[in-house]
mmCIF file with all atom_site columns, all heavy atoms in Angstrom:
data_model
loop_
_atom_site.group_PDB
_atom_site.id
_atom_site.type_symbol
_atom_site.label_atom_id
_atom_site.label_alt_id
_atom_site.label_comp_id
_atom_site.label_asym_id
_atom_site.label_entity_id
_atom_site.label_seq_id
_atom_site.pdbx_PDB_ins_code
_atom_site.Cartn_x
_atom_site.Cartn_y
_atom_site.Cartn_z
_atom_site.occupancy
_atom_site.B_iso_or_equiv
_atom_site.pdbx_formal_charge
_atom_site.auth_seq_id
_atom_site.auth_comp_id
_atom_site.auth_asym_id
_atom_site.auth_atom_id
_atom_site.pdbx_PDB_model_num
ATOM 1   N N   . ALA A 1 21 ? -125.400 60.119 -195.669 1.00 43.00 ? 703 ALA A N   1
ATOM 2   C CA  . ALA A 1 21 ? -125.652 58.810 -196.258 1.00 43.00 ? 703 ALA A CA  1
ATOM 3   C C   . ALA A 1 21 ? -126.470 57.946 -195.319 1.00 43.00 ? 703 ALA A C   1
ATOM 4   O O   . ALA A 1 21 ? -127.363 57.213 -195.755 1.00 43.00 ? 703 ALA A O   1
ATOM 5   C CB  . ALA A 1 21 ? -124.332 58.130 -196.593 1.00 43.00 ? 703 ALA A CB  1
ATOM 6   N N   . PHE A 1 22 ? -126.214 57.998 -193.975 1.00 40.00 ? 704 PHE A N   1
ATOM 7   C CA  . PHE A 1 22 ? -126.952 57.175 -193.038 1.00 40.00 ? 704 PHE A CA  1
ATOM 8   C C   . PHE A 1 22 ? -128.390 57.642 -192.906 1.00 40.00 ? 704 PHE A C   1
ATOM 9   O O   . PHE A 1 22 ? -129.288 56.844 -192.692 1.00 40.00 ? 704 PHE A O   1
ATOM 10  C CB  . PHE A 1 22 ? -126.268 57.179 -191.667 1.00 40.00 ? 704 PHE A CB  1
ATOM 11  C CG  . PHE A 1 22 ? -124.973 56.435 -191.644 1.00 40.00 ? 704 PHE A CG  1
ATOM 12  C CD1 . PHE A 1 22 ? -123.848 56.984 -191.070 1.00 40.00 ? 704 PHE A CD1 1
ATOM 13  C CD2 . PHE A 1 22 ? -124.882 55.182 -192.225 1.00 40.00 ? 704 PHE A CD2 1
ATOM 14  C CE1 . PHE A 1 22 ? -122.654 56.290 -191.068 1.00 40.00 ? 704 PHE A CE1 1
ATOM 15  C CE2 . PHE A 1 22 ? -123.689 54.482 -192.215 1.00 40.00 ? 704 PHE A CE2 1
ATOM 16  C CZ  . PHE A 1 22 ? -122.565 55.040 -191.633 1.00 40.00 ? 704 PHE A CZ  1
ATOM 17  N N   . GLU A 1 23 ? -128.611 58.966 -193.015 1.00 45.00 ? 705 GLU A N   1
ATOM 18  C CA  . GLU A 1 23 ? -129.978 59.455 -192.925 1.00 45.00 ? 705 GLU A CA  1
ATOM 19  C C   . GLU A 1 23 ? -130.776 59.071 -194.162 1.00 45.00 ? 705 GLU A C   1
ATOM 20  O O   . GLU A 1 23 ? -131.968 58.824 -194.086 1.00 45.00 ? 705 GLU A O   1
ATOM 21  C CB  . GLU A 1 23 ? -129.970 60.978 -192.758 1.00 45.00 ? 705 GLU A CB  1
ATOM 22  C CG  . GLU A 1 23 ? -129.529 61.421 -191.384 1.00 45.00 ? 705 GLU A CG  1
ATOM 23  C CD  . GLU A 1 23 ? -129.585 62.930 -191.261 1.00 45.00 ? 705 GLU A CD  1
ATOM 24  O OE1 . GLU A 1 23 ? -129.849 63.587 -192.290 1.00 45.00 ? 705 GLU A OE1 1
ATOM 25  O OE2 . GLU A 1 23 ? -129.381 63.430 -190.163 1.00 45.00 ? 705 GLU A OE2 1
ATOM 26  N N   . ARG A 1 24 ? -130.121 58.996 -195.298 1.00 47.00 ? 706 ARG A N   1
ATOM 27  C CA  . ARG A 1 24 ? -130.828 58.628 -196.523 1.00 47.00 ? 706 ARG A CA  1
ATOM 28  C C   . ARG A 1 24 ? -131.224 57.156 -196.473 1.00 47.00 ? 706 ARG A C   1
ATOM 29  O O   . ARG A 1 24 ? -132.308 56.757 -196.880 1.00 47.00 ? 706 ARG A O   1
ATOM 30  C CB  . ARG A 1 24 ? -129.953 58.887 -197.742 1.00 47.00 ? 706 ARG A CB  1
ATOM 31  C CG  . ARG A 1 24 ? -130.681 58.699 -199.043 1.00 47.00 ? 706 ARG A CG  1
ATOM 32  C CD  . ARG A 1 24 ? -129.785 59.050 -200.200 1.00 47.00 ? 706 ARG A CD  1
ATOM 33  N NE  . ARG A 1 24 ? -129.346 60.447 -200.126 1.00 47.00 ? 706 ARG A NE  1
ATOM 34  C CZ  . ARG A 1 24 ? -128.448 60.976 -200.945 1.00 47.00 ? 706 ARG A CZ  1
ATOM 35  N NH1 . ARG A 1 24 ? -127.886 60.224 -201.875 1.00 47.00 ? 706 ARG A NH1 1
ATOM 36  N NH2 . ARG A 1 24 ? -128.097 62.245 -200.809 1.00 47.00 ? 706 ARG A NH2 1
ATOM 37  N N   . TYR A 1 25 ? -130.336 56.293 -195.983 1.00 44.00 ? 707 TYR A N   1
ATOM 38  C CA  . TYR A 1 25 ? -130.614 54.876 -195.828 1.00 44.00 ? 707 TYR A CA  1
ATOM 39  C C   . TYR A 1 25 ? -130.269 54.495 -194.381 1.00 44.00 ? 707 TYR A C   1
ATOM 40  O O   . TYR A 1 25 ? -129.137 54.084 -194.111 1.00 44.00 ? 707 TYR A O   1
ATOM 41  C CB  . TYR A 1 25 ? -129.785 54.032 -196.805 1.00 44.00 ? 707 TYR A CB  1
ATOM 42  C CG  . TYR A 1 25 ? -129.871 54.511 -198.219 1.00 44.00 ? 707 TYR A CG  1
ATOM 43  C CD1 . TYR A 1 25 ? -128.760 55.053 -198.858 1.00 44.00 ? 707 TYR A CD1 1
ATOM 44  C CD2 . TYR A 1 25 ? -131.079 54.460 -198.910 1.00 44.00 ? 707 TYR A CD2 1
ATOM 45  C CE1 . TYR A 1 25 ? -128.858 55.504 -200.156 1.00 44.00 ? 707 TYR A CE1 1
ATOM 46  C CE2 . TYR A 1 25 ? -131.178 54.914 -200.209 1.00 44.00 ? 707 TYR A CE2 1
ATOM 47  C CZ  . TYR A 1 25 ? -130.067 55.432 -200.823 1.00 44.00 ? 707 TYR A CZ  1
ATOM 48  O OH  . TYR A 1 25 ? -130.149 55.889 -202.105 1.00 44.00 ? 707 TYR A OH  1
ATOM 49  N N   . PRO A 1 26 ? -131.223 54.647 -193.459 1.00 49.00 ? 708 PRO A N   1
ATOM 50  C CA  . PRO A 1 26 ? -130.904 54.404 -192.044 1.00 49.00 ? 708 PRO A CA  1
ATOM 51  C C   . PRO A 1 26 ? -130.377 52.998 -191.803 1.00 49.00 ? 708 PRO A C   1
ATOM 52  O O   . PRO A 1 26 ? -129.483 52.792 -191.008 1.00 49.00 ? 708 PRO A O   1
ATOM 53  C CB  . PRO A 1 26 ? -132.246 54.641 -191.352 1.00 49.00 ? 708 PRO A CB  1
ATOM 54  C CG  . PRO A 1 26 ? -133.035 55.475 -192.311 1.00 49.00 ? 708 PRO A CG  1
ATOM 55  C CD  . PRO A 1 26 ? -132.596 55.053 -193.664 1.00 49.00 ? 708 PRO A CD  1
ATOM 56  N N   . ASN A 1 27 ? -130.953 52.008 -192.499 1.00 52.00 ? 709 ASN A N   1
ATOM 57  C CA  . ASN A 1 27 ? -130.506 50.630 -192.307 1.00 52.00 ? 709 ASN A CA  1
ATOM 58  C C   . ASN A 1 27 ? -129.408 50.329 -193.310 1.00 52.00 ? 709 ASN A C   1
ATOM 59  O O   . ASN A 1 27 ? -129.624 50.426 -194.516 1.00 52.00 ? 709 ASN A O   1
ATOM 60  C CB  . ASN A 1 27 ? -131.690 49.677 -192.506 1.00 52.00 ? 709 ASN A CB  1
ATOM 61  C CG  . ASN A 1 27 ? -131.310 48.237 -192.190 1.00 52.00 ? 709 ASN A CG  1
ATOM 62  O OD1 . ASN A 1 27 ? -130.184 47.967 -191.785 1.00 52.00 ? 709 ASN A OD1 1
ATOM 63  N ND2 . ASN A 1 27 ? -132.264 47.332 -192.370 1.00 52.00 ? 709 ASN A ND2 1
ATOM 64  N N   . ARG A 1 28 ? -128.247 49.954 -192.823 1.00 50.00 ? 710 ARG A N   1
ATOM 65  C CA  . ARG A 1 28 ? -127.127 49.713 -193.729 1.00 50.00 ? 710 ARG A CA  1
ATOM 66  C C   . ARG A 1 28 ? -127.388 48.540 -194.652 1.00 50.00 ? 710 ARG A C   1
ATOM 67  O O   . ARG A 1 28 ? -126.850 48.473 -195.748 1.00 50.00 ? 710 ARG A O   1
ATOM 68  C CB  . ARG A 1 28 ? -125.844 49.452 -192.924 1.00 50.00 ? 710 ARG A CB  1
ATOM 69  C CG  . ARG A 1 28 ? -125.380 50.636 -192.129 1.00 50.00 ? 710 ARG A CG  1
ATOM 70  C CD  . ARG A 1 28 ? -124.043 50.346 -191.491 1.00 50.00 ? 710 ARG A CD  1
ATOM 71  N NE  . ARG A 1 28 ? -123.570 51.485 -190.713 1.00 50.00 ? 710 ARG A NE  1
ATOM 72  C CZ  . ARG A 1 28 ? -122.399 51.520 -190.089 1.00 50.00 ? 710 ARG A CZ  1
ATOM 73  N NH1 . ARG A 1 28 ? -121.600 50.460 -190.147 1.00 50.00 ? 710 ARG A NH1 1
ATOM 74  N NH2 . ARG A 1 28 ? -122.036 52.591 -189.405 1.00 50.00 ? 710 ARG A NH2 1
ATOM 75  N N   . ASP A 1 29 ? -128.191 47.581 -194.188 1.00 53.00 ? 711 ASP A N   1
ATOM 76  C CA  . ASP A 1 29 ? -128.465 46.399 -195.005 1.00 53.00 ? 711 ASP A CA  1
ATOM 77  C C   . ASP A 1 29 ? -129.511 46.657 -196.080 1.00 53.00 ? 711 ASP A C   1
ATOM 78  O O   . ASP A 1 29 ? -129.671 45.852 -196.992 1.00 53.00 ? 711 ASP A O   1
ATOM 79  C CB  . ASP A 1 29 ? -128.939 45.245 -194.120 1.00 53.00 ? 711 ASP A CB  1
ATOM 80  C CG  . ASP A 1 29 ? -127.859 44.839 -193.127 1.00 53.00 ? 711 ASP A CG  1
ATOM 81  O OD1 . ASP A 1 29 ? -126.673 45.029 -193.461 1.00 53.00 ? 711 ASP A OD1 1
ATOM 82  O OD2 . ASP A 1 29 ? -128.210 44.342 -192.041 1.00 53.00 ? 711 ASP A OD2 1
ATOM 83  N N   . SER A 1 30 ? -130.222 47.749 -195.961 1.00 52.00 ? 712 SER A N   1
ATOM 84  C CA  . SER A 1 30 ? -131.267 48.031 -196.952 1.00 52.00 ? 712 SER A CA  1
ATOM 85  C C   . SER A 1 30 ? -130.645 48.554 -198.229 1.00 52.00 ? 712 SER A C   1
ATOM 86  O O   . SER A 1 30 ? -129.589 49.185 -198.209 1.00 52.00 ? 712 SER A O   1
ATOM 87  C CB  . SER A 1 30 ? -132.259 49.065 -196.405 1.00 52.00 ? 712 SER A CB  1
ATOM 88  O OG  . SER A 1 30 ? -131.592 50.287 -196.169 1.00 52.00 ? 712 SER A OG  1
ATOM 89  N N   . LYS A 1 31 ? -131.305 48.293 -199.323 1.00 53.00 ? 713 LYS A N   1
ATOM 90  C CA  . LYS A 1 31 ? -130.821 48.720 -200.630 1.00 53.00 ? 713 LYS A CA  1
ATOM 91  C C   . LYS A 1 31 ? -131.557 49.988 -201.063 1.00 53.00 ? 713 LYS A C   1
ATOM 92  O O   . LYS A 1 31 ? -132.708 50.201 -200.673 1.00 53.00 ? 713 LYS A O   1
ATOM 93  C CB  . LYS A 1 31 ? -131.037 47.619 -201.662 1.00 53.00 ? 713 LYS A CB  1
ATOM 94  C CG  . LYS A 1 31 ? -130.266 46.349 -201.355 1.00 53.00 ? 713 LYS A CG  1
ATOM 95  C CD  . LYS A 1 31 ? -130.505 45.309 -202.431 1.00 53.00 ? 713 LYS A CD  1
ATOM 96  C CE  . LYS A 1 31 ? -129.717 44.042 -202.130 1.00 53.00 ? 713 LYS A CE  1
ATOM 97  N NZ  . LYS A 1 31 ? -129.937 43.007 -203.177 1.00 53.00 ? 713 LYS A NZ  1
ATOM 98  N N   . PRO A 1 32 ? -130.920 50.823 -201.857 1.00 54.00 ? 714 PRO A N   1
ATOM 99  C CA  . PRO A 1 32 ? -131.606 52.027 -202.340 1.00 54.00 ? 714 PRO A CA  1
ATOM 100 C C   . PRO A 1 32 ? -132.792 51.640 -203.214 1.00 54.00 ? 714 PRO A C   1
ATOM 101 O O   . PRO A 1 32 ? -132.788 50.585 -203.855 1.00 54.00 ? 714 PRO A O   1
ATOM 102 C CB  . PRO A 1 32 ? -130.521 52.759 -203.139 1.00 54.00 ? 714 PRO A CB  1
ATOM 103 C CG  . PRO A 1 32 ? -129.538 51.704 -203.488 1.00 54.00 ? 714 PRO A CG  1
ATOM 104 C CD  . PRO A 1 32 ? -129.565 50.718 -202.364 1.00 54.00 ? 714 PRO A CD  1
ATOM 105 N N   . PRO A 1 33 ? -133.813 52.465 -203.266 1.00 59.00 ? 715 PRO A N   1
ATOM 106 C CA  . PRO A 1 33 ? -134.994 52.140 -204.077 1.00 59.00 ? 715 PRO A CA  1
ATOM 107 C C   . PRO A 1 33 ? -134.641 52.053 -205.550 1.00 59.00 ? 715 PRO A C   1
ATOM 108 O O   . PRO A 1 33 ? -133.767 52.756 -206.043 1.00 59.00 ? 715 PRO A O   1
ATOM 109 C CB  . PRO A 1 33 ? -135.944 53.312 -203.789 1.00 59.00 ? 715 PRO A CB  1
ATOM 110 C CG  . PRO A 1 33 ? -135.056 54.422 -203.331 1.00 59.00 ? 715 PRO A CG  1
ATOM 111 C CD  . PRO A 1 33 ? -133.919 53.764 -202.598 1.00 59.00 ? 715 PRO A CD  1
ATOM 112 N N   . ALA A 1 34 ? -135.344 51.166 -206.218 1.00 59.00 ? 716 ALA A N   1
ATOM 113 C CA  . ALA A 1 34 ? -135.115 50.986 -207.654 1.00 59.00 ? 716 ALA A CA  1
ATOM 114 C C   . ALA A 1 34 ? -135.563 52.226 -208.406 1.00 59.00 ? 716 ALA A C   1
ATOM 115 O O   . ALA A 1 34 ? -136.569 52.832 -208.060 1.00 59.00 ? 716 ALA A O   1
ATOM 116 C CB  . ALA A 1 34 ? -135.879 49.758 -208.148 1.00 59.00 ? 716 ALA A CB  1
ATOM 117 N N   . PRO A 1 35 ? -134.841 52.642 -209.419 1.00 57.00 ? 717 PRO A N   1
ATOM 118 C CA  . PRO A 1 35 ? -135.235 53.838 -210.183 1.00 57.00 ? 717 PRO A CA  1
ATOM 119 C C   . PRO A 1 35 ? -136.532 53.591 -210.941 1.00 57.00 ? 717 PRO A C   1
ATOM 120 O O   . PRO A 1 35 ? -136.811 52.490 -211.427 1.00 57.00 ? 717 PRO A O   1
ATOM 121 C CB  . PRO A 1 35 ? -134.063 54.054 -211.135 1.00 57.00 ? 717 PRO A CB  1
ATOM 122 C CG  . PRO A 1 35 ? -133.426 52.710 -211.266 1.00 57.00 ? 717 PRO A CG  1
ATOM 123 C CD  . PRO A 1 35 ? -133.616 52.037 -209.951 1.00 57.00 ? 717 PRO A CD  1
ATOM 124 N N   . THR A 1 36 ? -137.337 54.626 -211.024 1.00 58.00 ? 718 THR A N   1
ATOM 125 C CA  . THR A 1 36 ? -138.600 54.549 -211.753 1.00 58.00 ? 718 THR A CA  1
ATOM 126 C C   . THR A 1 36 ? -138.348 54.773 -213.239 1.00 58.00 ? 718 THR A C   1
ATOM 127 O O   . THR A 1 36 ? -137.294 55.273 -213.626 1.00 58.00 ? 718 THR A O   1
ATOM 128 C CB  . THR A 1 36 ? -139.575 55.620 -211.230 1.00 58.00 ? 718 THR A CB  1
ATOM 129 O OG1 . THR A 1 36 ? -138.990 56.908 -211.468 1.00 58.00 ? 718 THR A OG1 1
ATOM 130 C CG2 . THR A 1 36 ? -139.823 55.438 -209.739 1.00 58.00 ? 718 THR A CG2 1
ATOM 131 N N   . PRO A 1 37 ? -139.304 54.415 -214.119 1.00 52.00 ? 719 PRO A N   1
ATOM 132 C CA  . PRO A 1 37 ? -139.130 54.697 -215.551 1.00 52.00 ? 719 PRO A CA  1
ATOM 133 C C   . PRO A 1 37 ? -138.884 56.157 -215.845 1.00 52.00 ? 719 PRO A C   1
ATOM 134 O O   . PRO A 1 37 ? -138.187 56.504 -216.777 1.00 52.00 ? 719 PRO A O   1
ATOM 135 C CB  . PRO A 1 37 ? -140.445 54.192 -216.167 1.00 52.00 ? 719 PRO A CB  1
ATOM 136 C CG  . PRO A 1 37 ? -140.917 53.133 -215.213 1.00 52.00 ? 719 PRO A CG  1
ATOM 137 C CD  . PRO A 1 37 ? -140.502 53.614 -213.854 1.00 52.00 ? 719 PRO A CD  1
ATOM 138 N N   . ALA A 1 38 ? -139.499 57.042 -215.026 1.00 52.00 ? 720 ALA A N   1
ATOM 139 C CA  . ALA A 1 38 ? -139.284 58.475 -215.253 1.00 52.00 ? 720 ALA A CA  1
ATOM 140 C C   . ALA A 1 38 ? -137.838 58.865 -214.974 1.00 52.00 ? 720 ALA A C   1
ATOM 141 O O   . ALA A 1 38 ? -137.274 59.736 -215.630 1.00 52.00 ? 720 ALA A O   1
ATOM 142 C CB  . ALA A 1 38 ? -140.230 59.291 -214.366 1.00 52.00 ? 720 ALA A CB  1
ATOM 143 N N   . ASP A 1 39 ? -137.226 58.193 -213.962 1.00 54.00 ? 721 ASP A N   1
ATOM 144 C CA  . ASP A 1 39 ? -135.831 58.497 -213.659 1.00 54.00 ? 721 ASP A CA  1
ATOM 145 C C   . ASP A 1 39 ? -134.908 58.027 -214.768 1.00 54.00 ? 721 ASP A C   1
ATOM 146 O O   . ASP A 1 39 ? -133.862 58.615 -215.018 1.00 54.00 ? 721 ASP A O   1
ATOM 147 C CB  . ASP A 1 39 ? -135.409 57.841 -212.347 1.00 54.00 ? 721 ASP A CB  1
ATOM 148 C CG  . ASP A 1 39 ? -136.187 58.383 -211.167 1.00 54.00 ? 721 ASP A CG  1
ATOM 149 O OD1 . ASP A 1 39 ? -136.620 59.555 -211.265 1.00 54.00 ? 721 ASP A OD1 1
ATOM 150 O OD2 . ASP A 1 39 ? -136.375 57.655 -210.181 1.00 54.00 ? 721 ASP A OD2 1
ATOM 151 N N   . CYS A 1 40 ? -135.306 56.945 -215.433 1.00 51.00 ? 722 CYS A N   1
ATOM 152 C CA  . CYS A 1 40 ? -134.455 56.374 -216.476 1.00 51.00 ? 722 CYS A CA  1
ATOM 153 C C   . CYS A 1 40 ? -134.717 56.971 -217.842 1.00 51.00 ? 722 CYS A C   1
ATOM 154 O O   . CYS A 1 40 ? -134.056 56.599 -218.809 1.00 51.00 ? 722 CYS A O   1
ATOM 155 C CB  . CYS A 1 40 ? -134.669 54.860 -216.563 1.00 51.00 ? 722 CYS A CB  1
ATOM 156 S SG  . CYS A 1 40 ? -134.219 54.004 -215.026 1.00 51.00 ? 722 CYS A SG  1
ATOM 157 N N   . ALA A 1 41 ? -135.693 57.844 -217.957 1.00 48.00 ? 723 ALA A N   1
ATOM 158 C CA  . ALA A 1 41 ? -136.019 58.408 -219.271 1.00 48.00 ? 723 ALA A CA  1
ATOM 159 C C   . ALA A 1 41 ? -134.860 59.228 -219.786 1.00 48.00 ? 723 ALA A C   1
ATOM 160 O O   . ALA A 1 41 ? -134.341 60.102 -219.108 1.00 48.00 ? 723 ALA A O   1
ATOM 161 C CB  . ALA A 1 41 ? -137.272 59.292 -219.167 1.00 48.00 ? 723 ALA A CB  1
ATOM 162 N N   . GLY A 1 42 ? -134.445 58.953 -220.994 1.00 48.00 ? 724 GLY A N   1
ATOM 163 C CA  . GLY A 1 42 ? -133.355 59.695 -221.611 1.00 48.00 ? 724 GLY A CA  1
ATOM 164 C C   . GLY A 1 42 ? -131.980 59.265 -221.170 1.00 48.00 ? 724 GLY A C   1
ATOM 165 O O   . GLY A 1 42 ? -130.993 59.826 -221.599 1.00 48.00 ? 724 GLY A O   1
ATOM 166 N N   . ARG A 1 43 ? -131.913 58.231 -220.266 1.00 48.00 ? 725 ARG A N   1
ATOM 167 C CA  . ARG A 1 43 ? -130.614 57.764 -219.804 1.00 48.00 ? 725 ARG A CA  1
ATOM 168 C C   . ARG A 1 43 ? -130.339 56.400 -220.428 1.00 48.00 ? 725 ARG A C   1
ATOM 169 O O   . ARG A 1 43 ? -131.172 55.508 -220.382 1.00 48.00 ? 725 ARG A O   1
ATOM 170 C CB  . ARG A 1 43 ? -130.572 57.632 -218.288 1.00 48.00 ? 725 ARG A CB  1
ATOM 171 C CG  . ARG A 1 43 ? -130.799 58.953 -217.560 1.00 48.00 ? 725 ARG A CG  1
ATOM 172 C CD  . ARG A 1 43 ? -130.764 58.741 -216.058 1.00 48.00 ? 725 ARG A CD  1
ATOM 173 N NE  . ARG A 1 43 ? -131.046 59.980 -215.343 1.00 48.00 ? 725 ARG A NE  1
ATOM 174 C CZ  . ARG A 1 43 ? -131.113 60.051 -214.025 1.00 48.00 ? 725 ARG A CZ  1
ATOM 175 N NH1 . ARG A 1 43 ? -130.912 58.976 -213.291 1.00 48.00 ? 725 ARG A NH1 1
ATOM 176 N NH2 . ARG A 1 43 ? -131.375 61.205 -213.437 1.00 48.00 ? 725 ARG A NH2 1
#
Side-chain angles (χ1 to χ4, degrees):
F704 290 133
E705 287 182 354
R706 187 177 300 173
Y707 310 113
N709 185 2
R710 295 186 180 183
D711 298 332
S712 63
K713 297 181 179 180
T718 62
D721 296 332
C722 298
R725 298 179 183 178

